[in-house]
PDB file of all heavy atoms in Angstrom:
ATOM      1  N   ALA A  27       8.864   1.571  -1.575  1.00 94.00           N
ATOM      2  CA  ALA A  27      10.252   1.191  -1.338  1.00 94.00           C
ATOM      3  C   ALA A  27      10.647   0.179  -2.213  1.00 94.00           C
ATOM      4  O   ALA A  27       9.885  -0.741  -2.515  1.00 94.00           O
ATOM      5  CB  ALA A  27      10.297   0.692   0.111  1.00 94.00           C
ATOM      6  N   GLU A  28      11.928   0.346  -2.710  1.00 92.00           N
ATOM      7  CA  GLU A  28      12.432  -0.697  -3.641  1.00 92.00           C
ATOM      8  C   GLU A  28      12.679  -2.055  -2.833  1.00 92.00           C
ATOM      9  O   GLU A  28      13.160  -2.019  -1.644  1.00 92.00           O
ATOM     10  CB  GLU A  28      13.667  -0.160  -4.315  1.00 92.00           C
ATOM     11  CG  GLU A  28      14.275  -1.118  -5.318  1.00 92.00           C
ATOM     12  CD  GLU A  28      15.463  -0.444  -6.061  1.00 92.00           C
ATOM     13  OE1 GLU A  28      15.804   0.695  -5.769  1.00 92.00           O
ATOM     14  OE2 GLU A  28      16.070  -1.212  -6.865  1.00 92.00           O
ATOM     15  N   LYS A  29      12.466  -3.144  -3.556  1.00 91.00           N
ATOM     16  CA  LYS A  29      12.732  -4.487  -2.795  1.00 91.00           C
ATOM     17  C   LYS A  29      13.541  -5.234  -3.914  1.00 91.00           C
ATOM     18  O   LYS A  29      13.457  -4.950  -5.134  1.00 91.00           O
ATOM     19  CB  LYS A  29      11.416  -5.249  -2.618  1.00 91.00           C
ATOM     20  CG  LYS A  29      10.486  -4.622  -1.564  1.00 91.00           C
ATOM     21  CD  LYS A  29      11.065  -4.520  -0.240  1.00 91.00           C
ATOM     22  CE  LYS A  29      10.989  -5.820   0.423  1.00 91.00           C
ATOM     23  NZ  LYS A  29      11.421  -5.927   1.786  1.00 91.00           N
ATOM     24  N   PRO A  30      14.272  -6.128  -3.552  1.00 92.00           N
ATOM     25  CA  PRO A  30      14.989  -7.035  -4.583  1.00 92.00           C
ATOM     26  C   PRO A  30      13.961  -7.655  -5.562  1.00 92.00           C
ATOM     27  O   PRO A  30      12.832  -8.202  -5.179  1.00 92.00           O
ATOM     28  CB  PRO A  30      15.642  -8.199  -3.739  1.00 92.00           C
ATOM     29  CG  PRO A  30      15.769  -7.483  -2.388  1.00 92.00           C
ATOM     30  CD  PRO A  30      14.599  -6.672  -2.177  1.00 92.00           C
ATOM     31  N   GLY A  31      14.029  -7.327  -6.846  1.00 91.00           N
ATOM     32  CA  GLY A  31      13.207  -7.836  -7.825  1.00 91.00           C
ATOM     33  C   GLY A  31      11.919  -7.075  -8.007  1.00 91.00           C
ATOM     34  O   GLY A  31      11.002  -7.464  -8.816  1.00 91.00           O
ATOM     35  N   GLY A  32      11.673  -6.057  -7.259  1.00 93.00           N
ATOM     36  CA  GLY A  32      10.432  -5.287  -7.332  1.00 93.00           C
ATOM     37  C   GLY A  32      10.246  -4.034  -6.334  1.00 93.00           C
ATOM     38  O   GLY A  32      11.265  -3.357  -6.287  1.00 93.00           O
ATOM     39  N   LEU A  33       9.078  -4.009  -5.896  1.00 94.00           N
ATOM     40  CA  LEU A  33       8.771  -2.922  -4.840  1.00 94.00           C
ATOM     41  C   LEU A  33       7.833  -3.320  -3.794  1.00 94.00           C
ATOM     42  O   LEU A  33       7.103  -4.237  -3.926  1.00 94.00           O
ATOM     43  CB  LEU A  33       8.372  -1.677  -5.630  1.00 94.00           C
ATOM     44  CG  LEU A  33       6.988  -1.574  -6.222  1.00 94.00           C
ATOM     45  CD1 LEU A  33       6.438  -0.245  -6.307  1.00 94.00           C
ATOM     46  CD2 LEU A  33       6.954  -2.198  -7.630  1.00 94.00           C
ATOM     47  N   ARG A  34       7.739  -2.467  -2.803  1.00 96.00           N
ATOM     48  CA  ARG A  34       6.762  -2.641  -1.767  1.00 96.00           C
ATOM     49  C   ARG A  34       6.034  -1.332  -1.632  1.00 96.00           C
ATOM     50  O   ARG A  34       6.619  -0.197  -1.482  1.00 96.00           O
ATOM     51  CB  ARG A  34       7.516  -2.931  -0.425  1.00 96.00           C
ATOM     52  CG  ARG A  34       6.556  -3.020   0.698  1.00 96.00           C
ATOM     53  CD  ARG A  34       7.372  -3.344   1.957  1.00 96.00           C
ATOM     54  NE  ARG A  34       6.496  -3.887   3.039  1.00 96.00           N
ATOM     55  CZ  ARG A  34       6.920  -4.201   4.186  1.00 96.00           C
ATOM     56  NH1 ARG A  34       8.227  -4.046   4.525  1.00 96.00           N
ATOM     57  NH2 ARG A  34       6.117  -4.612   5.171  1.00 96.00           N
ATOM     58  N   LEU A  35       4.730  -1.419  -1.645  1.00 96.00           N
ATOM     59  CA  LEU A  35       3.768  -0.255  -1.589  1.00 96.00           C
ATOM     60  C   LEU A  35       3.030  -0.404  -0.175  1.00 96.00           C
ATOM     61  O   LEU A  35       2.532  -1.475   0.163  1.00 96.00           O
ATOM     62  CB  LEU A  35       2.823  -0.226  -2.663  1.00 96.00           C
ATOM     63  CG  LEU A  35       3.389  -0.267  -4.103  1.00 96.00           C
ATOM     64  CD1 LEU A  35       2.443  -0.760  -5.051  1.00 96.00           C
ATOM     65  CD2 LEU A  35       3.780   1.133  -4.409  1.00 96.00           C
ATOM     66  N   THR A  36       3.005   0.614   0.622  1.00 97.00           N
ATOM     67  CA  THR A  36       2.297   0.612   1.832  1.00 97.00           C
ATOM     68  C   THR A  36       1.089   1.580   1.669  1.00 97.00           C
ATOM     69  O   THR A  36       1.209   2.722   1.344  1.00 97.00           O
ATOM     70  CB  THR A  36       3.276   0.973   2.984  1.00 97.00           C
ATOM     71  OG1 THR A  36       4.397   0.110   3.026  1.00 97.00           O
ATOM     72  CG2 THR A  36       2.522   1.022   4.298  1.00 97.00           C
ATOM     73  N   LEU A  37       0.003   1.007   2.096  1.00 96.00           N
ATOM     74  CA  LEU A  37      -1.347   1.580   1.872  1.00 96.00           C
ATOM     75  C   LEU A  37      -2.130   1.427   3.271  1.00 96.00           C
ATOM     76  O   LEU A  37      -1.928   0.520   3.949  1.00 96.00           O
ATOM     77  CB  LEU A  37      -2.019   1.067   0.735  1.00 96.00           C
ATOM     78  CG  LEU A  37      -1.358   0.972  -0.724  1.00 96.00           C
ATOM     79  CD1 LEU A  37      -1.749  -0.346  -1.347  1.00 96.00           C
ATOM     80  CD2 LEU A  37      -1.843   2.198  -1.378  1.00 96.00           C
ATOM     81  N   PRO A  38      -3.212   2.237   3.297  1.00 98.00           N
ATOM     82  CA  PRO A  38      -4.179   1.976   4.359  1.00 98.00           C
ATOM     83  C   PRO A  38      -4.813   0.623   4.177  1.00 98.00           C
ATOM     84  O   PRO A  38      -5.105   0.232   3.059  1.00 98.00           O
ATOM     85  CB  PRO A  38      -5.244   3.112   4.160  1.00 98.00           C
ATOM     86  CG  PRO A  38      -4.597   4.169   3.406  1.00 98.00           C
ATOM     87  CD  PRO A  38      -3.597   3.536   2.521  1.00 98.00           C
ATOM     88  N   ALA A  39      -5.000  -0.164   5.272  1.00 98.00           N
ATOM     89  CA  ALA A  39      -5.532  -1.465   5.156  1.00 98.00           C
ATOM     90  C   ALA A  39      -7.032  -1.489   4.642  1.00 98.00           C
ATOM     91  O   ALA A  39      -7.364  -2.538   4.011  1.00 98.00           O
ATOM     92  CB  ALA A  39      -5.518  -2.095   6.602  1.00 98.00           C
ATOM     93  N   ASP A  40      -7.659  -0.443   4.645  1.00 96.00           N
ATOM     94  CA  ASP A  40      -9.012  -0.496   4.068  1.00 96.00           C
ATOM     95  C   ASP A  40      -9.029  -0.493   2.579  1.00 96.00           C
ATOM     96  O   ASP A  40     -10.049  -0.569   1.870  1.00 96.00           O
ATOM     97  CB  ASP A  40      -9.863   0.686   4.503  1.00 96.00           C
ATOM     98  CG  ASP A  40      -9.338   2.091   4.154  1.00 96.00           C
ATOM     99  OD1 ASP A  40      -8.349   2.165   3.463  1.00 96.00           O
ATOM    100  OD2 ASP A  40      -9.908   3.144   4.572  1.00 96.00           O
ATOM    101  N   ARG A  41      -7.784  -0.540   1.985  1.00 96.00           N
ATOM    102  CA  ARG A  41      -7.821  -0.605   0.444  1.00 96.00           C
ATOM    103  C   ARG A  41      -7.432  -2.121   0.067  1.00 96.00           C
ATOM    104  O   ARG A  41      -7.331  -2.380  -1.071  1.00 96.00           O
ATOM    105  CB  ARG A  41      -6.634   0.166  -0.088  1.00 96.00           C
ATOM    106  CG  ARG A  41      -6.921   1.645  -0.117  1.00 96.00           C
ATOM    107  CD  ARG A  41      -6.214   2.359  -1.141  1.00 96.00           C
ATOM    108  NE  ARG A  41      -5.881   3.725  -0.688  1.00 96.00           N
ATOM    109  CZ  ARG A  41      -5.002   4.526  -1.341  1.00 96.00           C
ATOM    110  NH1 ARG A  41      -4.394   4.159  -2.362  1.00 96.00           N
ATOM    111  NH2 ARG A  41      -4.824   5.745  -0.925  1.00 96.00           N
ATOM    112  N   THR A  42      -7.528  -2.964   1.082  1.00 96.00           N
ATOM    113  CA  THR A  42      -7.137  -4.493   0.807  1.00 96.00           C
ATOM    114  C   THR A  42      -8.013  -5.030  -0.307  1.00 96.00           C
ATOM    115  O   THR A  42      -7.546  -5.625  -1.333  1.00 96.00           O
ATOM    116  CB  THR A  42      -7.248  -5.270   2.061  1.00 96.00           C
ATOM    117  OG1 THR A  42      -6.348  -4.689   2.962  1.00 96.00           O
ATOM    118  CG2 THR A  42      -6.863  -6.670   1.672  1.00 96.00           C
ATOM    119  N   VAL A  43      -9.374  -4.773  -0.332  1.00 93.00           N
ATOM    120  CA  VAL A  43     -10.337  -5.340  -1.366  1.00 93.00           C
ATOM    121  C   VAL A  43      -9.963  -4.738  -2.726  1.00 93.00           C
ATOM    122  O   VAL A  43      -9.889  -5.446  -3.845  1.00 93.00           O
ATOM    123  CB  VAL A  43     -11.649  -5.153  -0.950  1.00 93.00           C
ATOM    124  CG1 VAL A  43     -12.586  -5.594  -2.023  1.00 93.00           C
ATOM    125  CG2 VAL A  43     -11.977  -5.887   0.255  1.00 93.00           C
ATOM    126  N   ARG A  44      -9.630  -3.459  -2.806  1.00 92.00           N
ATOM    127  CA  ARG A  44      -9.276  -2.720  -4.088  1.00 92.00           C
ATOM    128  C   ARG A  44      -7.914  -3.264  -4.585  1.00 92.00           C
ATOM    129  O   ARG A  44      -7.697  -3.205  -5.762  1.00 92.00           O
ATOM    130  CB  ARG A  44      -9.186  -1.227  -3.774  1.00 92.00           C
ATOM    131  CG  ARG A  44     -10.577  -0.654  -3.681  1.00 92.00           C
ATOM    132  CD  ARG A  44     -10.392   0.938  -3.299  1.00 92.00           C
ATOM    133  NE  ARG A  44      -9.686   1.663  -4.316  1.00 92.00           N
ATOM    134  CZ  ARG A  44      -9.246   2.859  -4.109  1.00 92.00           C
ATOM    135  NH1 ARG A  44      -9.627   3.516  -2.986  1.00 92.00           N
ATOM    136  NH2 ARG A  44      -8.522   3.568  -4.925  1.00 92.00           N
ATOM    137  N   ILE A  45      -7.114  -3.801  -3.796  1.00 95.00           N
ATOM    138  CA  ILE A  45      -5.823  -4.320  -4.200  1.00 95.00           C
ATOM    139  C   ILE A  45      -5.899  -5.777  -4.641  1.00 95.00           C
ATOM    140  O   ILE A  45      -5.279  -6.324  -5.551  1.00 95.00           O
ATOM    141  CB  ILE A  45      -4.750  -4.172  -3.129  1.00 95.00           C
ATOM    142  CG1 ILE A  45      -4.583  -2.624  -2.857  1.00 95.00           C
ATOM    143  CG2 ILE A  45      -3.468  -4.817  -3.435  1.00 95.00           C
ATOM    144  CD1 ILE A  45      -4.119  -1.790  -3.942  1.00 95.00           C
ATOM    145  N   ALA A  46      -6.554  -6.626  -3.694  1.00 94.00           N
ATOM    146  CA  ALA A  46      -6.642  -8.136  -3.926  1.00 94.00           C
ATOM    147  C   ALA A  46      -7.338  -8.454  -5.250  1.00 94.00           C
ATOM    148  O   ALA A  46      -6.956  -9.326  -5.846  1.00 94.00           O
ATOM    149  CB  ALA A  46      -7.371  -8.694  -2.778  1.00 94.00           C
ATOM    150  N   GLY A  47      -8.406  -7.684  -5.587  1.00 90.00           N
ATOM    151  CA  GLY A  47      -9.115  -8.107  -6.828  1.00 90.00           C
ATOM    152  C   GLY A  47      -8.155  -7.876  -8.015  1.00 90.00           C
ATOM    153  O   GLY A  47      -8.116  -8.880  -8.826  1.00 90.00           O
ATOM    154  N   PRO A  48      -7.649  -6.773  -8.264  1.00 89.00           N
ATOM    155  CA  PRO A  48      -6.737  -6.563  -9.409  1.00 89.00           C
ATOM    156  C   PRO A  48      -5.511  -7.536  -9.346  1.00 89.00           C
ATOM    157  O   PRO A  48      -5.033  -7.870 -10.467  1.00 89.00           O
ATOM    158  CB  PRO A  48      -6.243  -5.101  -9.283  1.00 89.00           C
ATOM    159  CG  PRO A  48      -7.371  -4.383  -8.494  1.00 89.00           C
ATOM    160  CD  PRO A  48      -7.793  -5.433  -7.554  1.00 89.00           C
ATOM    161  N   ALA A  49      -4.971  -7.869  -8.127  1.00 93.00           N
ATOM    162  CA  ALA A  49      -3.865  -8.700  -8.066  1.00 93.00           C
ATOM    163  C   ALA A  49      -4.210 -10.130  -8.588  1.00 93.00           C
ATOM    164  O   ALA A  49      -3.477 -10.753  -9.347  1.00 93.00           O
ATOM    165  CB  ALA A  49      -3.291  -8.796  -6.586  1.00 93.00           C
ATOM    166  N   ALA A  50      -5.367 -10.571  -8.177  1.00 91.00           N
ATOM    167  CA  ALA A  50      -5.894 -11.969  -8.757  1.00 91.00           C
ATOM    168  C   ALA A  50      -6.093 -11.865 -10.145  1.00 91.00           C
ATOM    169  O   ALA A  50      -5.742 -12.791 -10.869  1.00 91.00           O
ATOM    170  CB  ALA A  50      -7.182 -12.356  -7.982  1.00 91.00           C
ATOM    171  N   ALA A  51      -6.697 -10.742 -10.730  1.00 86.00           N
ATOM    172  CA  ALA A  51      -6.850 -10.655 -12.123  1.00 86.00           C
ATOM    173  C   ALA A  51      -5.545 -10.572 -12.920  1.00 86.00           C
ATOM    174  O   ALA A  51      -5.381 -11.208 -14.030  1.00 86.00           O
ATOM    175  CB  ALA A  51      -7.710  -9.416 -12.504  1.00 86.00           C
ATOM    176  N   GLU A  52      -4.549  -9.984 -12.318  1.00 86.00           N
ATOM    177  CA  GLU A  52      -3.193  -9.775 -12.885  1.00 86.00           C
ATOM    178  C   GLU A  52      -2.602 -11.165 -13.076  1.00 86.00           C
ATOM    179  O   GLU A  52      -1.884 -11.338 -14.137  1.00 86.00           O
ATOM    180  CB  GLU A  52      -2.356  -8.971 -12.073  1.00 86.00           C
ATOM    181  CG  GLU A  52      -1.218  -8.149 -12.779  1.00 86.00           C
ATOM    182  CD  GLU A  52      -1.790  -7.181 -13.787  1.00 86.00           C
ATOM    183  OE1 GLU A  52      -2.660  -6.282 -13.466  1.00 86.00           O
ATOM    184  OE2 GLU A  52      -1.355  -7.221 -14.986  1.00 86.00           O
ATOM    185  N   GLN A  53      -2.796 -12.074 -12.159  1.00 86.00           N
ATOM    186  CA  GLN A  53      -2.220 -13.416 -12.314  1.00 86.00           C
ATOM    187  C   GLN A  53      -2.727 -14.096 -13.597  1.00 86.00           C
ATOM    188  O   GLN A  53      -2.038 -15.042 -14.062  1.00 86.00           O
ATOM    189  CB  GLN A  53      -2.511 -14.277 -11.030  1.00 86.00           C
ATOM    190  CG  GLN A  53      -1.818 -13.739  -9.761  1.00 86.00           C
ATOM    191  CD  GLN A  53      -0.258 -14.030  -9.946  1.00 86.00           C
ATOM    192  OE1 GLN A  53       0.285 -15.075  -9.761  1.00 86.00           O
ATOM    193  NE2 GLN A  53       0.413 -12.893 -10.255  1.00 86.00           N
ATOM    194  N   ARG A  54      -3.944 -13.842 -13.953  1.00 82.00           N
ATOM    195  CA  ARG A  54      -4.379 -14.524 -15.197  1.00 82.00           C
ATOM    196  C   ARG A  54      -3.727 -14.091 -16.473  1.00 82.00           C
ATOM    197  O   ARG A  54      -3.502 -14.833 -17.453  1.00 82.00           O
ATOM    198  CB  ARG A  54      -5.908 -14.370 -15.243  1.00 82.00           C
ATOM    199  CG  ARG A  54      -6.657 -15.168 -14.241  1.00 82.00           C
ATOM    200  CD  ARG A  54      -8.126 -15.220 -14.514  1.00 82.00           C
ATOM    201  NE  ARG A  54      -8.860 -13.865 -14.147  1.00 82.00           N
ATOM    202  CZ  ARG A  54      -9.100 -13.375 -13.002  1.00 82.00           C
ATOM    203  NH1 ARG A  54      -8.900 -14.095 -11.835  1.00 82.00           N
ATOM    204  NH2 ARG A  54      -9.760 -12.135 -12.855  1.00 82.00           N
ATOM    205  N   CYS A  55      -3.440 -12.770 -16.553  1.00 80.00           N
ATOM    206  CA  CYS A  55      -2.796 -12.194 -17.784  1.00 80.00           C
ATOM    207  C   CYS A  55      -1.286 -12.127 -17.697  1.00 80.00           C
ATOM    208  O   CYS A  55      -0.651 -12.197 -18.668  1.00 80.00           O
ATOM    209  CB  CYS A  55      -3.490 -10.951 -18.192  1.00 80.00           C
ATOM    210  SG  CYS A  55      -3.063  -9.593 -17.035  1.00 80.00           S
ATOM    211  N   CYS A  56      -0.816 -12.004 -16.417  1.00 82.00           N
ATOM    212  CA  CYS A  56       0.640 -11.854 -16.306  1.00 82.00           C
ATOM    213  C   CYS A  56       1.130 -12.686 -15.213  1.00 82.00           C
ATOM    214  O   CYS A  56       1.505 -12.106 -14.012  1.00 82.00           O
ATOM    215  CB  CYS A  56       1.003 -10.362 -15.930  1.00 82.00           C
ATOM    216  SG  CYS A  56       0.514  -9.097 -17.365  1.00 82.00           S
ATOM    217  N   PRO A  57       1.143 -13.938 -15.279  1.00 87.00           N
ATOM    218  CA  PRO A  57       1.484 -14.851 -14.215  1.00 87.00           C
ATOM    219  C   PRO A  57       2.896 -14.795 -13.721  1.00 87.00           C
ATOM    220  O   PRO A  57       3.271 -15.423 -12.731  1.00 87.00           O
ATOM    221  CB  PRO A  57       1.159 -16.263 -14.753  1.00 87.00           C
ATOM    222  CG  PRO A  57       1.234 -16.115 -16.248  1.00 87.00           C
ATOM    223  CD  PRO A  57       0.810 -14.689 -16.626  1.00 87.00           C
TER     224      PRO A  57
END
Side-chain angles (χ1 to χ4, degrees):
E28 186 173 354
K29 300 291 284 182
L33 72 151
R34 181 181 195 177
L35 302 160
T36 300
L37 305 142
D40 63 2
R41 289 206 212 168
T42 301
V43 172
R44 285 177 54 194
I45 298 297
E52 206 67 50
Q53 289 293 281
R54 289 188 290 277
C55 68
C56 300

